[in-house]
């Protein structure tokens, strides 16, 4: 399965100018609210018409402004799970899922026939797969949020879509249920076996659920990598911030493997070559370590915050600019009292050069 998207849409004062390609597996669209993620899904589904561009799914053109092609939503074979699940409130679980099943089947003789037995078998299989047994006669208001989500997904999968799109599928759930359903959903998506797009603003969710992540900002894809590569080397200042890097500073190249951060008052060695268009440097808060001798400098601690499983220490380098913000150091809780060190180092492999 393959999806190719290259579209432009001017919507009020917002410009969507997004392009990416996706094969089998889960591609996450990760970005802040208002970055164009949901509008991208609606454009693919045929709910929103782009001003120009192309959308091609499995060699079938869904939209092409130059060729005047714009297939209606019902012909696109796209399954779209909305944030609110969009279940029919007056229908039972069984009836909601049946809406996704196609009424016409073709038998071995090639003749069209009404295959109620086949529909019933498919329905039973989907109900079992989504663990909805015993809930068939309930209505959406009688279901938990997680159960509603599974019914909505079952209805979509019943239509055998070529592409599955999930718009913030865990946004309305509490943290415990969210983690539980993420693991369940990951198994279901593997069973689905086709392309999936998942919109999220949650970095941990994207890292956990997706095979690749397209980072969106101001209507554009600014990075597209597998999760590990994206978080270890985001590439740009904005990508570093969107992936949760707390420590980012202006920087300049001072050597093939050296960066100077004037506001921090330090020079840092890198493991990767430094490009000429360097504009900043990033170090994730959990990368600092008092036992690392590389990039080791004296520090002065300024504040401390306790979280359920971590301590966050804020510090400043000895020659740090007074106008620059404190630097973060995250330390997992171990039960033992931490003696704050006189200095901290960071492995050159964990110094991230950032570019324009």
């Amino acid at each position: 399965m393959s999806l190719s998207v290259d579209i432009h849409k001017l919507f009020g004062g917002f410009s969507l100018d997004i392009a990416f390609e996706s094969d089998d597996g889960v591609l996450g669209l990760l970005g802040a609210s208002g970055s164009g993620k949901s509008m991208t899904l609606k454009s693919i589904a045929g709910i929103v018409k782009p001003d120009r561009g192309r959308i091609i799914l499995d060699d079938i053109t869904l939209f092409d402004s130059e060729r005047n092609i714009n297939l209606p939503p019902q012909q696109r074979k796209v399954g779209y799970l909305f944030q609110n699940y969009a279940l029919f409130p007056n229908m039972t679980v069984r009836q909601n899922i049946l809406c996704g099943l196609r009424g016409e089947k073709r038998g071995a003789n090639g003749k069209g026939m009404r295959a109620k037995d086949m529909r019933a078998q498919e329905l039973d299989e989907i109900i079992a797969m989504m663990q909805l047994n015993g809930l068939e006669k309930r209505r959406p208001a009688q279901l938990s949020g997680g159960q509603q989500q599974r019914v909505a997904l079952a209805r979509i999968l019943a239509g055998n879509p070529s592409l599955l799109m999930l718009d913030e599928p865990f946004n309305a759930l509490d943290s415990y249920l969210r983690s539980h359903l993420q693991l369940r959903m990951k198994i279901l998506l593997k069973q689905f076996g086709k392309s999936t797009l998942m919109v999220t603003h949650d970095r941990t969710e994207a890292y956990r659920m997706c095979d690749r992540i397209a980072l969106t900002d101001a209507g554009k894809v600014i990075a597209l990598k597998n999760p590990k590569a994206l978080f270890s080397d985001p590439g740009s200042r904005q990508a570093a911030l969107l992936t949760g890097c707390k420590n980012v500073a202006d920087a300049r190249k001072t050597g093939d493997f050296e960066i100077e951060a004037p506001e921090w008052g330090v020079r840092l060695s890198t493991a990767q070559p430094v490009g000429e268009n360097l504009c900043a440097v990033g170090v994730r808060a959990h990368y600092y370590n008092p036992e690392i001798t590389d990039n080791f400098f004296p520090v002065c601690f300024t504040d401390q915050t306790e979280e359920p499983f971590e301590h966050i220490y804020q510090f400043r380098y000895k020659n740090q600019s007074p106008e620059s913000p404190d630097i973060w150091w995250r330390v997992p809780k171990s039960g033992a009292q931490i003696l704050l060190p006189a200095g901290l180092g960071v492995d050159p492999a964990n110094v991230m050069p950032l570019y324009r």
Side-chain angles (χ1 to χ4, degrees), residues 188-243:
L188 291 172
L189 294 181
K190 285 186 177 180
Q191 293 174 348
F192 176 60
K194 302 176 185 177
S195 296
T196 300
L197 294 182
M198 189 180 80
V199 160
T200 180
H201 65 272
D202 188 310
R203 297 182 294 269
T204 302
E205 183 174 286
Y207 195 97
R208 178 183 297 165
M209 297 285 298
C210 301
D211 300 301
R212 293 195 303 158
I213 298 174
L215 205 58
T216 62
D217 182 54
K220 296 180 177 170
V221 173
I222 61 173
L224 202 167
K225 300 180 180 180
N226 69 62
K228 186 174 182 179
L230 178 63
F231 280 77
S232 64
D233 184 19
S236 69
R237 178 199 294 266
Q238 190 61 14
L241 294 172
L242 287 172
T243 54

Side-chain angles (χ1 to χ4, degrees), residues 78-155:
V78 170
Y80 192 168
L81 181 63
F82 294 90
Q83 291 185 33
N84 62 0
Y85 308 141
L87 296 174
F88 298 110
N90 296 324
M91 290 186 179
T92 65
V93 167
R94 185 180 184 88
Q95 291 168 336
N96 264 283
I97 298 173
L98 276 171
C99 289
L101 284 169
R102 300 183 182 276
E104 293 296 329
K105 300 286 181 180
R106 290 202 172 270
N109 59 3
K111 295 181 179 179
M113 63 178 181
R114 196 72 181 176
K116 291 184 179 180
D117 55 339
M118 294 176 66
R119 283 162 54 94
Q121 181 181 350
E122 286 184 78
L123 180 62
D124 290 341
E125 290 174 353
I126 291 171
I127 286 174
M129 180 178 70
M130 303 304 295
Q131 297 182 345
L132 294 169
N133 300 89
L135 304 176
E136 294 91 337
K137 295 183 179 181
R138 294 190 187 182
R139 286 179 166 78
Q142 299 172 300
L143 303 174
S144 68
Q147 291 168 341
Q148 289 181 29
Q149 183 195 68
R150 281 182 279 151
V151 174
L153 185 58
R155 184 178 63 186

